[in-house]
Amino acid sequence: MPARAPVPDVSPATAAPTVDGGDPLARERAHLAASRAALRAMRKDVESLDIKDVTANWVNAAVLRSQIEDRIKALADLAHTPLFFGRLDYLHTAQEGQRFYIGRRHVHDAGGDPMVVDWRAPVSQPFYRASRKDPKDVGLRRRFGYTGGELTAYEDEHLTDPSEAEQTSRLLQAEIERPRVGPMRDIVATIQPEQDEIVRSGLSGTVCVQGGPGTGKTAVGLHRVAYLLYAHRERLARTGTLVIGPNRSFLHYIEQVLPALGELEVRQSTVDDLVAHVEVRGTDTPTAAVVKGDARMAEVLRRAVRSHVTLPTEPLMVVRGSRRWRIPAYELEEIVRELLDRDVRYGSARDALPQRIAHTVLVRMEQAGEAPDDRVQDAVARNAAVKAAVKAIWPPVDPAKLVLRLLSDAEFLAAHAEGVLTPEEQDTVRWDRPARSVKSAKWSAADAVLIDEATDLVQRTHSLGHVVLDEAQDLSPMQYRAVGRRCSTGSATVLGDLAQGTTPWATSSWAEALSHLGKADAAVEELTAGFRVPREVIAYASRLLPHMSPGLAPVSSVRENPGSLSVRPVTGDLDAAVVAACVESLGREGSIGLIAADARVPALAAALASAGLPHLSPGEETTAASRLTLVPASLAKGLEYDYVVLDEPAAVVTAEPDERTGLRRLYVALTRAVSGLTILHAQPLPPQLT
């Protein structure tokens, strides 16, 4: 049996012989204290660096000082975050007889010898992958338990001992089930083998992770970023990384994960933030949003942009000194058609046109016996007549004005949407009241994506080294294209669950989504083992799957928590019953989420206030003193609470434009609980649940 020291939140077990003599727990505590002292010394060494005579100028000095400040922040000792959570004792190979402590960051002593090894290092990998079938040369794997930052327990697995039976780690289970107060935590101590394979997959390939509620897909994506920054730091420092979430509440919930792992420079954004070329003040009908988000709009925009090019009909006369050089219209047309056939960005082709014209003039000069050089070509390209010709042939295009005209001018839209959009679809996307200017227009979120597409047609969008896209199932094809532009020369980690797609344009398959993203060759991995949502709760929610996502495998939860589900019909005052359920949940440890259809939120907020129960809004950080959050169902995706009180499931379903979307919204709401779910309903439950 694995050896354990007693710990308040883990049942004590009979101790088996360990590899340590004396008191093993005291030894480990001493190593923790020494490691913390070594980390403080590392930080002090960085703080004491003198760079006065190191840099050549003030710019270099400022850059170096910024790097030093970042390093100091990364070396902070977080009192309530365990410095290490595991230990590996190797048997043979290059690490024969060596012992490695696995933690969130690397710590070394004054002589440079490691006291804690970063969880991302190759030598740490067996902590997540080793098993009795494949021990990977590890004799002992030890896990540590902490209470309030203090090391209080250990648990050993002798991987090469045939007499020791395989069993679930209770420390691991306790860490997974630890109450959730505050923002999302990292999972470095609990990463499972199938998750670790995704985390450590290479930078060159794009990975798509299909995972149901509680499978840890978001955490896997964030830890993959941390791993890639460790393994390819210099490259990603040049090209950049980005995490994209569905809304700012979600980003606020996950924002502490990467800093806790020592990664401070990863930018976070929503898709709306990425395409914020104009102020969004309007909304679309679902039908209009679906058409605007359709990939066919890319072709409409491409045609509209290229329509600004006018084939020349007059020759061009270039005067240089006493000589005149004539370029006939047919030669100019050949130059223009060649640029169009190459299908390069509109702006790049416009920049190339004067140089192409100038080169044609230089050929004539050489034929006349002159010997012009590159300076002459540049001068000809800047010639007033050439500039005028370029402006007439290939005028500049303002992307926002282009989209404004498409949405306002029926004839312009019809000319470029012919054979692409039906007349009915054209009527759907066209504004009833055309705007006079870009600033006065009431742009919608879908319009902003169209402007982003047009902007890229004019000038290439900067590509990052790696992008993580979470809750990806809810993106439209045009939104996928917008994200794909940000990683066109890099890679991506795509995270989502097809069963949780709640937008009218939600994707029906990952193959389709990845094609729009520009990553059709991405590997699709599926996580089906749930670690957070109790088995009783996920089984109840999975009743909806055949009705909304046929063929999708249900999550198989590893957590057994009898009594975690309570379904209560209410015959009296529903608001009062909901408040009472919240009071009941507040009597337990952990965070509480009250989830309701958006239209029910004001009434429930008033009921909570009348009862003297303060509550938070999604995105606000829960604390020990403030643990109740009132969550509109439309914002629940990606969030987790220890206990969830779900108000009126039927109202959640009927709030959506169609039943399938409503069932998916309900599925999301049902699976936000990680310890217990209480459902209260005055109306009959949706028949799919009964």
Side-chain angles (χ1 to χ4, degrees):
M1 178 181 289
R4 298 180 179 86
V7 59
D9 58 345
V10 177
S11 301
T14 305
T18 71
V19 294
D20 292 294
D23 184 353
L25 193 57
R27 284 174 169 270
E28 302 296 18
R29 286 172 173 164
H31 186 78
L32 176 62
S35 299
R36 289 198 182 279
L39 180 61
R40 290 193 295 271
M42 290 170 61
R43 182 170 180 167
K44 188 174 181 181
D45 287 344
V46 178
E47 290 173 335
S48 63
L49 289 175
D50 185 358
I51 63 172
K52 287 188 298 183
D53 301 322
V54 175
T55 56
N57 53 55
W58 69 270
V59 176
N60 292 341
V63 171
L64 184 56
R65 173 52 59 189
S66 176
Q67 292 173 341
I68 289 174
E69 289 175 355
D70 288 344
R71 178 62 176 162
I72 291 171
K73 291 178 184 177
L75 290 173
D77 185 4
L78 306 177
H80 293 286
T81 301
L83 197 55
F84 56 79
F85 47 81
R87 193 183 96 186
L88 293 176
D89 290 8
Y90 278 88
L91 294 173
H92 311 103
T93 69
Q95 287 83 32
E96 181 174 356
Q98 292 196 52
R99 174 179 297 173
F100 295 94
Y101 287 83
I102 314 301
R104 287 167 173 77
R105 66 195 67 200
H106 174 85
V107 179
H108 59 254
D109 61 18
D113 293 325
M115 300 189 71
V116 180
V117 178
D118 195 300
W119 66 276
R120 298 167 288 188
V123 75
S124 302
Q125 183 174 326
F127 183 78
Y128 304 106
R129 304 274 189 96
S131 65
R132 283 180 175 77
K133 292 182 179 179
D134 182 14
K136 299 187 182 300
D137 201 50
V138 173
L140 173 84
R141 173 168 54 200
R142 173 170 288 181
R143 300 181 189 275
F144 297 106
Y146 289 82
T147 302
E150 295 296 321
L151 199 163
T152 55
Y154 68 90
E155 184 180 66
D156 288 344
E157 293 175 84
H158 298 272
L159 298 179
T160 56
D161 185 352
S163 65
E164 190 171 290
E166 186 99 36
Q167 65 182 55
T168 302
S169 164
R170 285 192 286 175
L171 279 178
L172 179 64
Q173 193 72 16
E175 174 62 23
I176 290 174
E177 297 177 4
R178 185 156 56 99
R180 308 184 70 83
V181 175
M184 181 179 178
R185 302 187 298 262
D186 65 69
I187 61 165
V188 287
T190 62
I191 294 174
Q192 300 300 296
E194 63 272 22
Q195 295 174 329
D196 191 61
E197 289 182 13
I198 298 171
V199 167
R200 296 177 191 266
S201 54
L203 176 61
S204 59
T206 289
V207 177
C208 175
V209 182
Q210 158 65 37
T215 55
K217 57 184 178 297
T218 295
V220 166
L222 294 174
H223 286 69
R224 187 179 183 218
V225 171
Y227 172 77
L228 293 176
L229 286 168
Y230 175 88
H232 308 278
R233 189 166 301 279
E234 290 187 7
R235 178 176 171 183
L236 290 178
R238 295 192 306 270
T239 56
T241 53
L242 174 67
V243 174
I244 302 174
N247 53 60
R248 292 180 183 176
S249 297
F250 176 83
L251 292 177
H252 182 72
Y253 176 61
I254 68 170
E255 67 183 356
Q256 295 303 317
V257 173
L258 289 170
L261 299 174
E263 302 301 342
L264 308 173
E265 300 301 321
V266 179
R267 189 162 66 94
Q268 297 182 349
S269 174
T270 64
V271 174
D272 290 344
D273 292 335
L274 286 182
V275 300
H277 303 285
V278 292
E279 182 182 358
V280 174
R281 297 183 297 146
T283 56
D284 287 312
T285 64
T287 305
V290 168
V291 178
K292 288 180 180 180
D294 195 294
R296 293 174 296 163
M297 288 299 300
E299 174 59 20
V300 176
L301 289 166
R302 190 187 74 86
R303 292 180 182 182
V305 169
R306 290 166 66 94
S307 71
H308 288 75
V309 177
T310 303
L311 294 176
T313 58
E314 298 292 333
L316 172 63
M317 190 70 70
V318 178
V319 178
R320 182 159 177 82
S322 61
R323 302 291 300 271
R324 294 187 175 189
W325 308 98
R326 183 177 182 275
I327 309 298
Y330 76 87
E331 283 195 41
L332 292 174
E333 182 178 338
E334 287 178 358
I335 294 172
V336 172
R337 288 192 181 279
E338 181 193 356
L339 289 172
L340 287 172
D341 291 342
R342 288 180 58 196
D343 204 25
V344 296
R345 296 296 194 285
Y346 184 93
S348 300
R350 187 175 189 276
D351 293 339
L353 180 57
Q355 289 291 335
R356 295 295 180 88
I357 294 174
H359 177 73
T360 303
V361 173
L362 258 65
V363 170
R364 281 168 165 67
M365 289 181 177
E366 291 170 348
Q367 290 172 344
E370 296 188 20
D373 56 18
D374 291 343
R375 290 173 298 178
V376 175
Q377 179 169 325
D378 290 339
V380 172
R382 295 193 300 269
N383 182 275
V386 174
K387 286 184 176 181
V390 170
K391 185 175 182 180
I393 297 169
W394 214 294
V397 170
D398 183 300
K401 289 181 179 179
L402 174 78
V403 175
L404 178 69
R405 186 180 176 190
L406 269 177
L407 300 178
S408 303
D409 187 334
E411 291 185 3
F412 187 69
L413 175 61
H416 303 301
E418 184 179 1
V420 179
L421 301 180
T422 66
E424 293 76 18
E425 289 173 326
Q426 295 174 34
D427 291 339
T428 298
V429 301
R430 196 174 62 251
W431 291 340
D432 294 331
R433 296 181 179 179
R436 294 183 177 181
S437 68
V438 171
K439 288 187 177 180
S440 65
K442 289 189 176 181
W443 299 104
S444 69
D447 297 335
V449 178
L450 296 180
I451 295 173
D452 191 71
E453 179 82 24
T455 300
D456 185 71
L457 288 167
V458 174
Q459 205 68 44
R460 182 182 296 275
T461 304
H462 173 68
S463 174
L464 301 167
H466 192 77
V467 169
V468 174
L469 176 61
D470 205 352
E471 300 296 347
Q473 72 280 345
D474 278 329
L475 268 61
S476 70
M478 292 298 286
Q479 287 176 316
Y480 279 118
R481 290 175 62 88
V483 174
R485 288 191 281 276
R486 271 73 185 181
C487 56
S488 58
T489 60
S491 56
T493 302
V494 181
L495 312 167
D497 179 11
L498 296 177
Q500 296 186 56
T502 52
T503 57
W505 48 83
T507 188
S508 58
S509 74
W510 289 122
E512 177 187 348
L514 293 167
S515 176
H516 294 311
L517 190 70
K519 307 291 182 184
D521 59 345
V524 179
E525 304 287 347
E526 187 170 8
L527 297 176
T528 57
F531 301 99
R532 296 294 298 171
V533 184
R535 186 175 300 172
E536 194 174 359
V537 172
I538 197 66
Y540 185 74
S542 294
R543 296 180 185 181
L544 300 175
L545 284 178
H547 306 281
M548 62 186 196
S549 297
L552 200 63
V555 172
S556 176
S557 178
V558 301
R559 289 189 58 196
E560 290 190 37
N561 191 1
S564 57
L565 175 66
S566 175
V567 182
R568 305 176 186 175
V570 178
T571 56
D573 187 341
L574 178 60
D575 292 356
V578 169
V579 170
C582 290
V583 172
E584 178 185 335
S585 297
L586 286 167
R588 306 177 180 122
E589 184 182 4
S591 58
I592 294 91
L594 169 55
I595 303 178
D598 292 29
R600 287 273 296 149
V601 168
L604 291 175
L608 292 173
S610 298
L613 289 181
H615 66 273
L616 305 170
S617 298
E620 294 182 316
E621 186 173 328
T622 56
T623 64
S626 186
R627 298 184 289 124
L628 175 62
T629 303
L630 177 56
V631 187
S634 62
L635 296 180
K637 194 171 297 180
L639 305 179
E640 287 184 342
Y641 302 92
D642 286 291
Y643 295 92
V644 165
V645 176
L646 177 58
D647 168 85
E648 201 63 87
V652 175
V653 176
T654 57
E656 300 300 327
D658 60 82
E659 184 181 70
R660 183 182 181 188
T661 303
L663 292 176
R664 288 183 170 186
R665 184 75 72 188
L666 178 58
Y667 181 75
V668 171
L670 289 169
T671 54
R672 299 306 94 197
V674 297
S675 291
L677 170 66
T678 300
I679 301 172
L680 296 104
H681 64 99
Q683 302 177 34
L685 289 171
Q688 294 83 356
L689 283 178
T690 58

